[in-house]
Amino acid sequence: RKEVEQDPGPFNVPEGATVAFNCTYSNSASQSFFWYRQDCRKEPKLLMSVYSSGNEDGRFTAQLNRASQYISLLIRDSKLSDSATYLCVYYSSASKIIFGSGTRLSIRP
Amino acid sequence: DAGVIQSPRHEVTEMGQEVTLRCKPISGHNSLFWYRQTMMRGLELLIYFNNNVPIDDSGMPEDRFSAKMPNASFSTLKIQPSEPRDSAVYFCASQGLASNTGELFFGEGSRLTVL
């Protein structure tokens, strides 16, 4: 089983829609979780951290469910500029950082 | 401030040739990571260094791959001999000790094509 698994998508939704996707992880000792965003042919960049209590950054909400070992990302009122690949990331130890394979999101006008 | 700098941005080479990819991390960052990205396998961690010391190289595919970090401002990833299946985008990323978010800062990547 992969350490981190994501639905590859693509998710194709209309502008203004709400979209959510999950990421499951296998290492229950994982401490820190993040969502990164990667635009086509670009490098990944940090989108937001994921806290146990859940956290929100504008239209983006991230949640962590330790009991079921998954994290989620919710995007409200999606914009064309949200089209990208979203990567879930966790730290399996102090410095080893593992990326999921990414979920492709495409927002259509 | 300059970000992570990688070179070359693109390289096309023939099977059997040696390839050397270079990375300059952000000044003051103490951790450096090499990743490889392909459509089939996504982002794979190859090796990472902490204070210039290799900590975990279990992701390095085989003996043809080697990585060094002779000082805090420079790292190389070498493939010798290269094979077509090594074609991928290779990313270098650095992380600072004082980074509360644990954010990784990536270079723009080196796109390698082995014919």
Side-chain angles (χ1 to χ4, degrees), chain A residues 52-82:
Chain A
S52 297
S53 55
N55 49 298
E56 195 172 300
D57 183 0
R59 299 181 292 107
F60 297 81
T61 300
Q63 293 201 312
L64 166 63
N65 185 318
R66 286 194 183 274
S68 301
Q69 294 186 204
Y70 73 86
I71 65 172
S72 63
L73 181 67
L74 177 81
I75 306 174
R76 291 182 300 277
D77 187 23
S78 53
K79 312 292 184 189
L80 295 176
S81 57
D82 294 334

Side-chain angles (χ1 to χ4, degrees), chain A residues 2 34 36 38 41-46 49 51 87 91 93-101, chain B residues 10 31 33 35 37 41-43 45 48 50 56 58 91 95 101-104 106-108 111:
Chain A
K2 290 183 179 179
F34 306 86
Y36 277 66
Q38 186 174 24
R41 301 181 77 84
K42 297 286 189 181
E43 71 275 20
K45 292 184 179 178
L46 178 66
S49 304
Y51 302 125
L87 305 158
Y91 287 18
S93 63
S95 295
K96 191 169 184 177
I97 303 173
I98 306 298
F99 282 75
S101 55
Chain B
H10 302 272
S31 294
F33 302 77
Y35 287 89
Q37 187 172 39
R41 301 170 71 93
L43 260 173
L45 177 62
Y48 70 94
N50 194 35
D56 187 336
S58 59
F91 286 105
Q95 181 187 45
T101 66
E103 182 174 2
L104 279 185
F106 283 81
E108 294 182 302
R111 185 173 295 275

Side-chain angles (χ1 to χ4, degrees), chain B residues 25-107:
Chain B
I26 292 172
S27 178
H29 281 191
N30 69 317
S31 294
L32 182 141
F33 302 77
W34 282 101
Y35 287 89
R36 174 173 72 175
Q37 187 172 39
T38 61
M39 287 291 291
M40 292 296 294
R41 301 170 71 93
L43 260 173
E44 301 173 279
L45 177 62
L46 300 178
I47 185 171
Y48 70 94
F49 297 82
N50 194 35
N51 294 323
N52 312 338
V53 176
I55 302 300
D56 187 336
D57 65 354
S58 59
M60 295 286 262
E62 49 199 89
D63 292 345
R64 298 184 297 107
F65 285 68
S66 62
K68 294 182 180 179
M69 192 165 186
N71 57 62
S73 59
F74 184 65
S75 177
T76 59
L77 178 67
K78 187 174 292 187
I79 308 172
Q80 166 63 20
S82 58
E83 297 182 3
R85 60 188 167 131
D86 301 331
S87 298
V89 180
Y90 290 81
F91 286 105
C92 174
S94 71
Q95 181 187 45
L97 183 65
S99 173
N100 293 328
T101 66
E103 182 174 2
L104 279 185
F105 293 85
F106 283 81

Side-chain angles (χ1 to χ4, degrees), chain A residues 13-58:
Chain A
V13 302
E15 197 173 5
T18 295
V19 61
F21 26 84
N22 293 340
C23 167
T24 58
Y25 60 93
S26 58
N27 186 341
S28 59
S30 301
Q31 296 298 315
S32 303
F33 301 87
F34 306 86
W35 284 102
Y36 277 66
R37 169 190 169 132
Q38 186 174 24
D39 293 308
C40 186
R41 301 181 77 84
K42 297 286 189 181
E43 71 275 20
K45 292 184 179 178
L46 178 66
L47 176 67
M48 60 194 301
S49 304
V50 184
Y51 302 125
S52 297
S53 55
N55 49 298
E56 195 172 300
D57 183 0

Side-chain angles (χ1 to χ4, degrees), chain A residues 7-13 19 21 84-85 102-107:
Chain A
D7 182 341
F11 285 66
N12 189 327
V13 302
V19 61
F21 26 84
T85 296
T103 297
R104 282 176 51 209
L105 175 64
S106 178
I107 308 298

Side-chain angles (χ1 to χ4, degrees), chain B residues 10-21:
Chain B
H10 302 272
E11 176 145 351
V12 180
T13 190
E14 293 187 343
M15 183 173 64
Q17 296 299 305
E18 178 178 297
V19 173
T20 299
L21 307 178

